[in-house]
Amino acid sequence: MSGQNQRRQSIRLNPPTTSPPPSPQRIASSNTTNGRRQRARGSQRQSKAQRVDEICQFMRKKDITLREFIQVYVTTQGSGGYGERPATRAKRLAEAIYGQPEVLDALREHPASGTAGIVTVKALRKEMKALEEAGDMFSAYQVDRGQEKTSQDGIRQEERPGDGQKLEDYECILGDMQFEDMSKQVNTRAPLLFGLLNGLMGPKIKRQDRAPRDPSKFNHRIAIITSILCYSRASEGSNKFPRVFGAFLHSNGVKRRVLDLFHQFGLCEGYKGVHKHLETGTVHRYGQQLDACVVYDNFDYREGVKHQLISNHAEMRSVTTGKVFRGVDIPSGGLKKSMLHHEVPLTIEDLLYSPGAAVYDETAAKIDAYYIAEAIRTAYPESVKSIFAKSDIPYPSMPAVELLELRKTDSKTLGPILFNEGTLDGSYEVVESIYKHQFQLDDTEFDNRLFLAFGDQKTSSLIRSMQAEQVDASAAYDRKDWLIGVAALFHLRMNFLWLMQRTHYGNMEQQDASTLYHNINFWGRKNIPADRAAFQVLEELVLHSFDARVAGLLYTRLEQCGIDTSEQGDVDHAIQDMNAKGFIDLVEDVRRSAFEPQAWRPSKEKYANNTVDEEFLSHARYLQQMIVYKTLKYGIKNGDIGLIDRVIGVCCFYFEGTGQSNYAFEMLYLKRLTSTKACDKELRRAILSNSLVNPHGRRDTWQEVDRSLEYLNLELKRELWARRTSTFGLDALFKTTSLTAEYTVRLRKAIEKAFARKDNSRHSVPSPVDDIHTLAFELACDSIKLYEGGRAARHQAPDIHTIGLERVATKKLEVFNAKVMRDEDRIIVPPYERRRATADLDPDSDAMAILVCIF
């Protein structure tokens, strides 16, 4: 009989009786009695432990253990009637254990209960719900909701500032993806599930002869299993990780049927969900910013045969890729047309007196000393380090001319542009696609504003051609005078390397040790053609050749002191024995002998007396040309636009001297923008500053804006290769991958960084020390020694600086000003005859007279 029925029976048998109201004395005595009763009940509650002890003693007297008691209690029928069935007893026992958190905690802490302890399905589902509601990696992918809201509200919602995350803000999406913390999130919000999985994945046998295994690998597995469970429980509420992981697989070339198979396993979303995710994106908001800058370039892709045909119908397709990025050093109101003055010409004085172009100043001497010391340190790093570790004299440093402030560039990939920007007609379509369709700018935006567009030499040239054709147009947009095309710096570097190859390569008949042809064969380096070699191998060759020539000059001076330079160890000890002042003096001696202007241009007397050492002259010209390239590379990497500006001036002469008239014109155009009154100082700094981007925000991670686009093109080609089928060609895939290629690249890096094995992914470069030493010793034996009495050579590097200066001063500059200057709002384009590079100028020429006036 239950306690409730007993109370009812007691009330029926003993009905309440009425009594007279109590007196005050009885009330007082009653209060005292109640207090005593409450204290008695309190003492009874505190004695529950005593009563439990009594029960335990009673069980010991009856010779029954707690285990036997529970086993008999839940498996046998009681004698008390209703409620004493085994099922009822088991239910009461379960409620007594699982309904009291203190009991569960005590049981979990006991070793005998296992690592995970006692868990229930209800408790696990409660933890999975907490993971879903936490908004972390196991929650819902929120961008789709933003898409639905945007599609309902229209474009006006995007135009409102401060709305938070926009569809194109993949940086915000990736910032919310904390892949490394997934296992921590499980451990924090689902400790029962984490403990259960961790206990199940424990090793079968604990080996004492091995180190404990790395828990991070198994924590990643716990995170993936938890994602599968959460996604299976709530396919829309916990789809964040499955969706981005599906995008990761899809961007790595996983096909549709495999994605759908993984979807059945719960690892990722299916093909439709992933493809829907990758189709989102817009650049409208980026393009409407007043500081928006653009870089675009051609994208050539060979589209192979889609179906089985008799003949080969592969087609070379040319489309355009681009990026828009938030510019810096741009006034708050944007760049204005009033900052550009078309009537200002570029004069020969602007070039001759431009720093680094023709005058050898103190900054140039410091740059030379720095690279001489760096070349020696490349060959003997420890020895040079030991010299300055115990000296107060500083190591030669690179001068800082005009450093940019540190920033992290915010960029966005442009949408698909299915036009060839390498043609004039295609350039019209490209510009319209970017500024009218993707940026959705009104016609009034082109009345007073200026826009910067970076690209290669052809991009800048075609922009000027459009302006020349549309000079009489009535609408500001049609005139295109609001667009400034700038030849970007990575293409400048490539063309400068080809300049080095053109002037110093040599051939079979001209195998002097001063030629690159000799260096290639001496080192046994292959696959470097004589014309336009691959950028990376050519750059490595010319940089190592520079270091070897400087080391050769060092060896000639050490040999004069009686030091044997055939062994690296002897040279190493000789450098270590120097003090800092002796090392600086040695660097200065090398600089004076091969890096000053007289080393490039011997005096008239030497030419007259035929005492010019032609082979040493070729070495000196190689070294001085490479100083220009190394300065450009350093200025780009460290964000020093002052150093970059120094290089532009001398490149005007170099490119014209080698017959590369197109790039000579671009350098003149860029020099006019950055060094004359044709541009206000705000526009001048904006052009130089935005020619660089910094994807990582560190001092030495600057790169050319067009190089960042080349990286994008590389990833885009990989994705096109991975996704292309016989059904989806270039056009269809380009529309979906062009906007998301950068996002998928960053997504791959984020996931691989979080889950992949921590290996060094950098390309390992073999040490050039041995190659530098062997070639330096070869050169020091004879080739790089200076013969005061003169020496003839089979190969002589041309004096491209003097040749280019003469051409620029006499004809090129006049043609250039006629093309870029405005006369009554018209552009005059006279005919121009391209000229080829010739041999060195006569010392009595007019150009030499100009140089004599300077020095």
Side-chain angles (χ1 to χ4, degrees), residues 360-362 364-370 372-373 376 396 550 553-554 557 580-596 598:
Y360 191 79
D361 55 8
E362 182 181 356
K366 291 181 179 179
I367 293 174
D368 293 344
Y370 171 76
I372 294 169
I376 299 173
V550 174
L553 292 172
L554 169 69
R557 282 144 181 82
K581 185 178 182 304
F583 181 83
I584 296 297
D585 292 340
L586 182 62
V587 169
E588 186 65 17
D589 183 36
V590 171
R591 185 191 66 81
R592 286 193 300 266
S593 65
F595 290 84
E596 287 193 344
Q598 62 269 19

Coordinates of all heavy atoms in Angstrom, one line a residue, residues 360-362 364-370 372-373 376 396 550 553-554 557 580-596 598:
Y360 N 75.6 58.9 -59.8 CA 76.0 58.0 -58.8 C 76.1 58.7 -57.5 O 77.1 59.5 -57.2 CB 77.4 57.4 -59.2 CG 77.7 56.2 -58.3 CD1 77.2 54.9 -58.5 CD2 78.7 56.3 -57.3 CE1 77.5 53.8 -57.7 CE2 79.1 55.2 -56.5 CZ 78.5 54.0 -56.7 OH 78.8 52.9 -55.9
D361 N 75.1 58.6 -56.6 CA 75.1 59.4 -55.4 C 75.5 58.5 -54.2 O 75.8 57.3 -54.3 CB 73.7 60.0 -55.2 CG 72.6 58.9 -55.2 OD1 72.9 57.7 -55.3 OD2 71.4 59.3 -55.2
E362 N 75.3 59.1 -53.0 CA 75.7 58.4 -51.7 C 74.8 57.2 -51.5 O 75.3 56.1 -51.0 CB 75.6 59.3 -50.6 CG 76.0 58.7 -49.2 CD 75.9 59.7 -48.1 OE1 75.6 60.9 -48.3 OE2 76.2 59.3 -46.9
A364 N 73.4 55.3 -53.8 CA 73.9 54.2 -54.7 C 75.1 53.5 -54.1 O 75.3 52.3 -54.2 CB 74.2 54.8 -56.1
A365 N 76.0 54.3 -53.5 CA 77.2 53.7 -52.9 C 76.9 52.8 -51.8 O 77.5 51.7 -51.6 CB 78.2 54.8 -52.5
K366 N 75.9 53.1 -50.9 CA 75.5 52.3 -49.8 C 74.8 51.0 -50.3 O 75.0 50.0 -49.7 CB 74.5 53.1 -48.9 CG 75.2 54.2 -48.1 CD 74.2 54.9 -47.2 CE 74.9 56.0 -46.4 NZ 73.9 56.7 -45.6
I367 N 74.0 51.2 -51.4 CA 73.4 50.0 -52.0 C 74.4 49.0 -52.5 O 74.3 47.8 -52.2 CB 72.4 50.4 -53.1 CG1 71.2 51.2 -52.5 CG2 71.9 49.2 -53.8 CD1 70.3 51.8 -53.5
D368 N 75.4 49.5 -53.2 CA 76.4 48.6 -53.7 C 77.2 47.9 -52.6 O 77.5 46.7 -52.6 CB 77.4 49.4 -54.5 CG 76.8 50.0 -55.8 OD1 75.7 49.5 -56.2 OD2 77.4 50.9 -56.4
A369 N 77.6 48.7 -51.5 CA 78.3 48.1 -50.4 C 77.5 47.0 -49.7 O 78.0 45.9 -49.3 CB 78.7 49.2 -49.4
Y370 N 76.2 47.2 -49.6 CA 75.3 46.2 -49.0 C 75.3 44.9 -49.8 O 75.4 43.9 -49.2 CB 73.9 46.8 -48.8 CG 72.9 45.8 -48.4 CD1 72.8 45.4 -47.0 CD2 72.0 45.2 -49.3 CE1 71.9 44.4 -46.6 CE2 71.0 44.3 -48.9 CZ 71.0 43.9 -47.6 OH 70.0 43.0 -47.2
I372 N 77.5 43.8 -52.0 CA 78.8 43.2 -52.0 C 78.9 42.4 -50.7 O 79.4 41.2 -50.7 CB 79.9 44.2 -52.1 CG1 79.8 44.9 -53.5 CG2 81.3 43.6 -51.9 CD1 80.7 46.1 -53.6
A373 N 78.6 43.0 -49.5 CA 78.7 42.3 -48.3 C 77.7 41.1 -48.2 O 78.1 40.0 -47.7 CB 78.4 43.2 -47.1
I376 N 79.2 38.1 -50.1 CA 80.2 37.4 -49.4 C 79.6 36.6 -48.2 O 80.0 35.5 -48.0 CB 81.2 38.4 -48.8 CG1 81.9 39.2 -50.0 CG2 82.3 37.7 -47.9 CD1 82.8 40.3 -49.5
P396 N 77.0 46.5 -43.0 CA 76.4 47.3 -44.0 C 74.9 47.1 -44.2 O 74.5 45.9 -44.3 CB 77.2 47.0 -45.3 CG 78.5 46.5 -44.8 CD 78.2 45.8 -43.5
V550 N 81.2 38.5 -57.3 CA 81.7 39.3 -56.1 C 82.7 38.5 -55.3 O 83.7 39.0 -54.9 CB 80.5 39.7 -55.3 CG1 81.0 40.4 -54.0 CG2 79.6 40.7 -56.0
L553 N 86.0 38.6 -57.1 CA 86.7 39.8 -56.7 C 87.3 39.7 -55.3 O 88.5 40.2 -55.1 CB 85.8 41.0 -56.8 CG 85.3 41.4 -58.2 CD1 84.2 42.5 -58.1 CD2 86.4 41.9 -59.1
L554 N 86.6 39.1 -54.4 CA 87.2 38.9 -53.1 C 88.4 38.0 -53.1 O 89.5 38.2 -52.5 CB 86.1 38.3 -52.2 CG 86.6 37.7 -50.8 CD1 87.1 38.9 -49.9 CD2 85.5 36.9 -50.1
R557 N 91.7 39.5 -54.2 CA 92.4 40.3 -53.2 C 93.0 39.5 -52.1 O 94.0 39.8 -51.5 CB 91.4 41.3 -52.6 CG 91.1 42.5 -53.5 CD 89.7 43.0 -53.4 NE 89.6 44.2 -54.4 CZ 89.4 44.0 -55.7 NH1 89.4 42.8 -56.2 NH2 89.3 45.1 -56.5
A580 N 86.2 43.8 -38.2 CA 85.1 44.5 -38.9 C 85.6 45.6 -39.8 O 85.1 45.7 -40.9 CB 84.1 45.0 -37.9
K581 N 86.5 46.4 -39.3 CA 87.0 47.5 -40.2 C 87.7 46.9 -41.4 O 87.6 47.5 -42.5 CB 88.0 48.3 -39.4 CG 88.5 49.6 -40.1 CD 89.4 50.4 -39.3 CE 89.9 51.7 -40.0 NZ 90.5 51.4 -41.3
G582 N 88.5 45.8 -41.3 CA 89.2 45.3 -42.4 C 88.2 44.7 -43.4 O 88.4 44.8 -44.6
F583 N 87.1 44.1 -42.9 CA 86.1 43.6 -43.8 C 85.4 44.8 -44.6 O 85.2 44.7 -45.8 CB 85.0 42.8 -43.0 CG 83.9 42.2 -43.9 CD1 84.1 41.0 -44.5 CD2 82.7 42.9 -44.1 CE1 83.1 40.5 -45.3 CE2 81.7 42.3 -44.8 CZ 81.9 41.1 -45.5
I584 N 85.1 45.9 -43.9 CA 84.4 47.0 -44.5 C 85.4 47.6 -45.6 O 85.0 48.0 -46.7 CB 84.0 48.1 -43.5 CG1 83.0 47.5 -42.6 CG2 83.5 49.3 -44.2 CD1 81.7 47.1 -43.2
D585 N 86.7 47.7 -45.3 CA 87.6 48.2 -46.2 C 87.7 47.3 -47.5 O 87.9 47.8 -48.6 CB 89.0 48.3 -45.6 CG 89.1 49.4 -44.5 OD1 88.2 50.3 -44.5 OD2 90.0 49.3 -43.6
L586 N 87.6 46.0 -47.3 CA 87.7 45.1 -48.4 C 86.4 45.3 -49.3 O 86.5 45.3 -50.5 CB 87.7 43.7 -47.9 CG 87.8 42.6 -48.9 CD1 89.1 42.7 -49.7 CD2 87.8 41.2 -48.2
V587 N 85.3 45.5 -48.6 CA 84.0 45.7 -49.4 C 84.2 47.0 -50.2 O 83.8 47.1 -51.4 CB 82.8 45.7 -48.5 CG1 81.6 46.3 -49.2 CG2 82.6 44.3 -47.9
E588 N 84.7 48.0 -49.6 CA 84.9 49.3 -50.2 C 85.8 49.2 -51.4 O 85.6 49.9 -52.5 CB 85.3 50.3 -49.2 CG 85.4 51.8 -49.7 CD 84.0 52.3 -50.1 OE1 83.0 51.8 -49.6 OE2 84.0 53.3 -50.8
D589 N 86.9 48.4 -51.3 CA 87.8 48.3 -52.4 C 87.1 47.6 -53.6 O 87.4 48.0 -54.7 CB 89.0 47.4 -51.9 CG 90.1 47.3 -53.0 OD1 90.3 48.2 -53.7 OD2 90.7 46.2 -53.0
V590 N 86.3 46.6 -53.3 CA 85.6 45.9 -54.4 C 84.6 46.8 -55.0 O 84.5 46.9 -56.3 CB 84.9 44.6 -53.8 CG1 84.0 44.0 -54.9 CG2 85.9 43.6 -53.3
R591 N 84.0 47.7 -54.2 CA 83.0 48.6 -54.8 C 83.6 49.6 -55.7 O 83.1 49.9 -56.8 CB 82.3 49.3 -53.7 CG 81.1 50.3 -54.1 CD 80.6 51.1 -53.0 NE 81.7 52.1 -52.6 CZ 81.9 53.2 -53.2 NH1 81.3 53.6 -54.3 NH2 82.9 54.0 -52.8
R592 N 84.8 50.1 -55.3 CA 85.4 51.1 -56.2 C 85.9 50.5 -57.5 O 86.0 51.2 -58.5 CB 86.6 51.8 -55.4 CG 86.2 52.8 -54.3 CD 87.3 53.6 -53.8 NE 88.4 52.7 -53.3 CZ 88.5 52.4 -52.0 NH1 87.7 52.9 -51.1 NH2 89.5 51.7 -51.6
S593 N 86.3 49.3 -57.4 CA 86.9 48.7 -58.6 C 85.9 48.3 -59.7 O 86.2 48.3 -60.9 CB 87.8 47.4 -58.2 OG 86.9 46.4 -57.7
A594 N 84.7 47.9 -59.3 CA 83.8 47.3 -60.3 C 82.4 47.9 -60.2 O 81.6 47.6 -61.1 CB 83.6 45.8 -60.0
F595 N 82.1 48.8 -59.3 CA 80.7 49.3 -59.2 C 80.6 50.8 -59.4 O 79.5 51.3 -59.5 CB 80.2 49.0 -57.8 CG 79.9 47.5 -57.6 CD1 80.9 46.6 -57.2 CD2 78.7 47.0 -57.8 CE1 80.7 45.3 -57.1 CE2 78.4 45.6 -57.7 CZ 79.4 44.8 -57.3
E596 N 81.6 51.5 -59.5 CA 81.5 53.0 -59.7 C 81.4 53.3 -61.2 O 81.7 52.4 -62.1 CB 82.8 53.7 -59.1 CG 82.7 53.7 -57.6 CD 83.7 54.7 -57.0 OE1 84.7 55.1 -57.8 OE2 83.6 55.1 -55.9
Q598 N 83.2 54.8 -63.5 CA 84.3 54.6 -64.4 C 84.6 53.1 -64.7 O 85.2 52.8 -65.7 CB 85.6 55.2 -63.7 CG 86.0 54.5 -62.4 CD 85.4 55.3 -61.2 OE1 84.5 56.0 -61.4 NE2 86.0 55.1 -60.1

